[in-house]
Amino acid sequence: MSTGPATVTVTESPAMLRTALRNVLAHKARLLTTVLAICLGVAFASGTLVLADSTAAAHRAAASKDFADTAVTVTAVTAEAPPPGTATGGGPDGVLDDALAAKLAKVPGVAAVRPRIDGTAVLNGADGNPLRVRPGANLAAAHTPGPDGTDPRHPLAEGRAPAGADEIALDRGTAAAGHLHLGDTVTLATDGPARTARLTGTVTTADTRITAGGTLVLFDRATAQRLFATPGHWTAVDVAATPGTGQYELARRITELLPADRAEVTTGRAQADQQARYVGTLTRGYQKLPLVFAGVSLFIGSFLVVNTFTMLITRRTREIALLRAVGATRRQVVRSLLAEALLVGLAASAAGFVLGLGIAEVLPGLLSTDGDRLPDGPLVIGPRPVAAALFVGVGVTALAAWLPARRAARIAPVEALRAAERPAARSRLRPALGAGLLLLGAGLLVALARHAEDASEANLRNAVLACGALVTGLVALAPALAGPAVRLTGPLTRRFGVTGLLARQNALRDPRRTAATAATLLISTALVGGLATVGHSTGRALDRQAAAGLGADWVIATGSSTTGIDPEAVRRVGATPGVRTAAAVADSTLFLGGTVREVSGVDPTSLGRTVRLDFVSGSLQDLGPGRIAVSRSTARENGLTTGDRVTTSIGRNREPGTSTVVGVYQDNPTARDALAVREDVQRDGFRPGSVQRILVRADGTTARQLRTAVGDNPLLKVESRDELVRAAGGVTSGLLTLMYGLLGIGAVISALGIVNTLVMSVTERTREIGVLRAVGMDRAAVRRTVRLEAVTVAAFGTVLGLAAGLFGAWGVGALAGGAIAQYRFEPPWPTLLLVCLASLAVGALAAAVPARRAAGLGPLEAVAER
């Protein structure tokens, strides 16, 4: 009787976990680059979330401090919102007067009553230029001292409080930003012509709207009431509560005292929350860019994870086969390898979270400016960043390792008997899938380009999805393309003799590994090349559009269609020496067929001398009462042609009327969406009789002369034609910032991938390198071979990435051409050349460590390696 061979069944989960831990420790050096790649993505994601939580907490803390002594605020309710700059408590029938303040002081639970007046004011700095002009952040108020002679909301820091119409006080931050000192004459405007006042004092404030980059101007009580309310009235009344009195209870008592539907009550807590949310919107944009970097880091890093685990599994084929031979099931092998990935992900998450805390600590200092300042406060580490770090780091790593793990589970036990390792079998599905995605993306881009006149948001979104399919298809096809592409480098590598030949053969040895290593550079180069091309082409198009559409030499404009330019200022501009034409333009809102557009009220004669309009049909001279001209995009989106009659209303006048379309012109930012005669817009606009822009043709006139002509009004901007053209093209600066950031991230992760691949490749070829050393190859030649291999792989990824990026930019740019007639596909060749050189440099630098390691192997030691 004979017995079969003894078998050991591996069924215990602890045993497989110990195996996973042993493998991680055994390959810790090779897994280090994978940890670093995932660490970058985790750091950006968790750091951004910590920054968001910390800034939100700082906003809440600052707002709560600002309203710490305010239990309730009473404001007036008006039937119709007044123009900006006027207060809700104003008007001859305002309810917030001294008599009401006296009644409120007698309500049980009221400790103190502090009436106040709020408005808006913009001022010039010492250099004569407007200071920190921002919607909702240029505040004005009355300095209202209490019985002790101090204003608790605006305590004096230096000087004295204003005591007349020709005196003001500023907060210290505003004075410092404008380089203003006590005794200086300051030019300011509230909602009309400019005025001057002497600076008598500076104050401190806890208002987060000011500390976040706004401005504050304080007047005496009588002047503030005249500007923002009416004599004897206030815009709001703050009420402090006695100890033990709740805010909601006090609000209920005060509401019973107020006239019905004439005033409303808001608790201090609600005001603090509202102010914190408002200030948070001013800095919310800072959270987007790091999250984009996080997404790109993790996406590119996932390819590094796949490549690393694929190479590790290939080297451990016999080990895995032995586990199968002694009884390990496929599921246990997958679990063991996923456990390794989870351990790597945990290490990357922990390191990334710590690095993210450093990012959150330094970002406020890097992102804050004089106009946009992030609040100071301690870092707040909530559950969201911690959960995100674990989910992102562990999740991405485990997901990326899942495919190599499933491939490893299919290794048959008989593989343990083979003396040599075999490369993984090539998949037939992957090339077919890649070709399908490539054709789908390219076909969709071509189809969208053929209908470029429809530059809708949906088509733009489809173009971006097509670019994604194109790049994904190239990544899937890369193993099939690697062999032919590397062979094409033969004429170049042969120049380096034997080392070049060996480098090319090593790159061809495993096309899948070469493709996986190049994938990181492919993706980052495609992103950077595409964004650079779209940004450059769009910027040049906007330059041409602004230059072609504006015939004026200067533009004087307000920051809002609800703020008007003094008619006397228009006359003074026209009388300035050197001015040939001063065309006044009234801007307002046009309600056109269910859509909201911008309309410019003009004099057709003077506009023709200051704006270059290209009419597709009709004529500028056909404008008249009840007749409008529309831009080409407006006509297309509303289905309008010359001669159509359409229902319209302008500004506040919501009563619909009928207008005749007398012309369609090419899109022009100076002319806005529609043109009408100035009388129609001024009659029905937000501010009847006012104009919002002056287009000036002049010879030799300076900005200083024009600013003097408008009374140095800080509400008005005086810009030359060149400045406007630069500003039009400057909208792409954010895209360029994103591009360079993505280039840096892609370069770092690509370098990590190349280092990882070459280190493992050198380890696999230890005996081969020993033989080369034994037959006479010196250390320098070994180093050169490894570097040339790295540059070859980098060149492969760079060329594919640039091809995908340029083709995608062409497709997306074709849609931009439908919106901007002056758009041309103009690749920034110097920038793209710089990207190519940077990618090749990444390959060469990444090979430094593996090349040194390979050259350091002694012939006898390497040949003896098993």
Side-chain angles (χ1 to χ4, degrees):
M1 181 176 179
S2 63
T3 60
T7 60
V8 180
T9 303
V10 181
T11 58
E12 297 295 331
S13 296
M16 299 304 294
L17 182 60
R18 285 193 298 271
T19 302
L21 182 59
R22 177 183 60 80
N23 285 327
V24 169
L25 294 176
H27 302 99
K28 55 182 178 296
R30 299 172 187 176
L31 292 171
L32 179 61
T33 53
T34 302
V35 171
L36 290 176
I38 300 300
C39 175
L40 284 177
V42 172
F44 280 114
S46 62
T48 302
L49 294 176
V50 169
L51 176 64
D53 290 346
S54 301
T55 53
H59 289 321
R60 288 193 298 270
S64 298
K65 182 179 179 181
D66 195 24
F67 289 93
D69 297 329
T70 301
V72 167
T73 296
V74 182
T75 55
V77 175
T78 56
E80 182 178 348
T86 59
T88 56
D93 58 344
V95 298
L96 301 185
D97 53 14
D98 292 334
L100 179 62
K103 291 181 181 179
L104 294 176
K106 299 177 181 179
V107 173
V110 172
V113 172
R114 295 187 298 272
R116 58 183 170 91
I117 303 171
D118 298 320
T120 60
V122 180
L123 68 155
N124 288 333
D127 59 0
N129 294 318
L131 182 64
R132 292 178 172 178
V133 180
R134 297 176 60 188
N138 301 118
L139 307 182
H143 191 273
T144 53
D148 60 353
T150 63
D151 184 347
R153 291 180 65 85
H154 309 113
L156 280 169
E158 188 179 11
R160 61 176 178 81
D166 59 345
E167 295 181 348
I168 61 168
L170 302 174
D171 75 281
R172 289 191 300 183
T174 300
H179 303 286
L180 299 169
H181 305 90
L182 297 184
D184 286 353
T185 298
V186 182
T187 301
L188 68 149
T190 54
D191 192 26
R195 52 181 295 182
T196 59
R198 188 166 62 90
L199 179 61
T200 63
T202 60
V203 302
T204 59
T205 178
D207 194 322
T208 51
R209 293 170 296 178
I210 308 303
T211 58
T215 60
L216 174 64
V217 180
L218 295 177
F219 301 91
D220 67 287
R221 168 179 170 172
T223 303
Q225 287 181 329
R226 186 172 65 254
L227 291 173
F228 308 118
T230 54
H233 291 83
W234 308 88
T235 63
V237 178
D238 292 333
V239 179
T242 58
T245 302
Q247 291 187 359
Y248 294 102
E249 175 61 23
L250 186 59
R252 184 189 63 78
R253 297 174 188 173
I254 291 177
T255 300
E256 296 174 352
L257 178 68
L258 297 174
D261 300 326
R262 304 248 346 247
E264 63 181 2
V265 178
T266 308
T267 64
R269 187 175 296 109
Q271 293 179 83
D273 291 342
Q274 181 181 7
Q275 185 163 304
R277 286 193 298 270
Y278 167 73
V279 178
T281 60
L282 301 179
T283 54
R284 189 172 297 162
Y286 294 132
Q287 302 172 19
K288 297 178 181 179
L289 195 60
L291 285 178
V292 172
F293 289 164
V296 173
S297 300
L298 293 168
F299 182 64
I300 299 177
S302 64
F303 287 89
L304 178 56
V305 177
V306 172
N307 199 25
T308 300
F309 275 88
T310 299
M311 289 187 291
L312 286 175
I313 289 169
T314 301
R315 280 193 53 80
R316 288 159 50 192
T317 299
R318 297 186 65 186
E319 175 187 328
I320 295 172
L322 283 172
L323 287 174
R324 295 293 314 281
V326 299
T329 65
R330 290 185 176 185
R331 181 174 298 179
Q332 287 174 322
V333 171
V334 171
R335 287 177 179 175
S336 175
L337 292 173
L338 287 181
E340 292 182 39
L342 291 175
L343 292 173
V344 171
L346 282 173
S349 297
F353 186 77
V354 174
L355 181 59
L357 294 180
I359 290 176
E361 184 70 34
V362 301
L363 273 181
L366 295 175
L367 299 177
S368 294
T369 64
D370 287 339
D372 297 278
R373 182 159 297 279
L374 295 174
D376 295 327
L379 291 182
V380 175
I381 304 175
R384 189 174 61 152
V386 177
L390 291 173
F391 175 78
V392 169
V394 176
V396 169
T397 307
L399 185 63
W402 182 69
L403 285 177
R406 284 180 58 85
R407 192 179 303 126
R410 292 196 292 267
I411 296 176
V414 71
E415 292 289 339
L417 304 177
R418 296 185 183 272
E421 296 169 357
R422 295 189 310 171
R426 295 184 180 181
S427 170
R428 296 181 179 180
L429 177 62
R430 177 170 174 168
L433 180 62
L437 287 174
L438 183 65
L439 292 175
L440 175 64
L444 184 55
L445 284 174
V446 172
L448 291 171
R450 294 179 61 182
H451 299 85
E453 67 279 356
D454 185 12
S456 64
E457 182 178 347
N459 276 350
L460 182 60
R461 184 167 55 249
N462 290 336
V464 173
L465 292 176
C467 291
L470 182 72
V471 173
T472 305
L474 272 180
V475 171
L477 270 178
L481 299 174
V486 173
R487 289 188 182 94
L488 289 176
T489 64
L492 294 175
T493 55
R494 276 197 296 269
R495 294 177 179 271
F496 296 92
V498 176
T499 57
L501 178 63
L502 289 173
R504 186 162 64 92
Q505 289 177 344
N506 288 333
L508 289 171
R509 179 174 300 186
D510 191 343
R512 176 179 291 177
R513 178 186 300 179
T514 298
T517 305
T520 54
L521 269 179
L522 189 158
I523 296 169
S524 60
T525 305
L527 280 171
V528 172
L531 287 175
T533 302
V534 171
H536 181 263
S537 301
T538 303
R540 294 291 297 274
L542 292 174
D543 286 349
R544 286 191 291 267
Q545 185 185 62
L550 180 62
D553 300 299
W554 299 90
V555 175
I556 304 172
T558 65
S560 168
S561 62
T562 60
T563 301
I565 299 177
D566 182 8
E568 181 61 22
V570 179
R571 186 197 64 77
R572 291 196 302 269
V573 169
T576 301
V579 172
R580 289 183 290 161
T581 303
V585 180
D587 293 320
S588 190
T589 301
L590 174 69
F591 298 89
L592 175 66
T595 62
V596 181
R597 301 289 180 180
E598 293 179 294
V599 61
S600 298
V602 300
D603 175 8
T605 302
S606 61
L607 184 72
R609 294 194 291 267
T610 55
V611 179
R612 298 167 184 162
L613 288 174
D614 181 11
F615 271 80
V616 178
S617 60
S619 169
L620 177 64
Q621 302 307 319
D622 293 333
L623 281 181
R627 289 179 284 178
I628 63 172
V630 296
S631 67
R632 186 178 180 182
S633 61
T634 301
R636 181 173 60 243
E637 293 174 17
N638 290 273
L640 299 176
T641 58
T642 300
D644 288 350
R645 295 178 63 80
V646 62
T647 301
T648 61
S649 59
I650 296 176
R652 288 185 181 182
N653 180 19
R654 300 301 176 88
E655 292 297 327
T658 302
S659 299
T660 301
V661 178
V662 297
V664 178
Y665 54 88
Q666 292 285 3
D667 287 27
N668 188 313
T670 306
R672 308 289 170 86
D673 300 318
L675 293 172
V677 292
R678 195 166 65 233
E679 291 77 12
D680 284 354
V681 177
Q682 288 178 322
R683 180 181 65 250
D684 299 328
F686 287 103
R687 186 177 291 277
S690 69
V691 298
Q692 281 68 46
R693 286 182 289 162
I694 308 173
L695 309 180
V696 180
R697 289 290 301 275
D699 295 321
T701 305
T702 65
R704 182 67 264 169
Q705 287 177 291
L706 295 176
R707 184 159 287 285
T708 301
V710 295
D712 283 323
N713 193 327
L715 292 173
L716 305 181
K717 295 185 293 184
V718 178
E719 296 178 292
S720 68
R721 185 170 181 269
D722 290 341
E723 290 172 333
L724 289 167
V725 170
R726 286 196 299 270
V731 298
T732 60
S733 61
L735 192 63
L736 294 177
T737 300
L738 176 63
M739 181 197 75
Y740 291 120
L742 294 177
L743 176 60
I745 289 176
V748 171
I749 298 180
S750 300
L752 292 174
I754 293 173
V755 169
N756 208 26
T757 299
L758 291 180
V759 166
M760 292 190 176
S761 180
V762 167
T763 303
E764 291 175 357
R765 304 201 307 261
T766 299
R767 297 189 66 186
E768 175 186 323
I769 294 171
V771 171
L772 291 174
R773 291 293 312 282
V775 298
M777 179 176 280
D778 59 15
R779 295 178 186 270
V782 172
R783 286 194 296 266
R784 187 161 57 250
T785 300
V786 176
R787 290 195 183 105
L788 285 174
E789 180 183 351
V791 171
T792 301
V793 173
F796 171 61
T798 300
V799 171
L800 281 186
L802 276 182
L806 286 174
F807 189 78
W810 170 80
V812 173
L815 295 177
I820 307 175
Q822 291 81 3
Y823 185 90
R824 304 288 183 272
F825 179 68
E826 300 180 64
W829 297 116
T831 301
L832 297 181
L833 177 61
L834 180 63
V835 170
C836 290
L837 294 177
S839 298
L840 296 179
V842 165
L845 293 174
V849 173
R852 180 178 299 177
R853 178 175 179 178
L857 292 173
L860 294 179
E861 174 190 358
V863 172
E865 179 73 19
R866 299 186 61 182

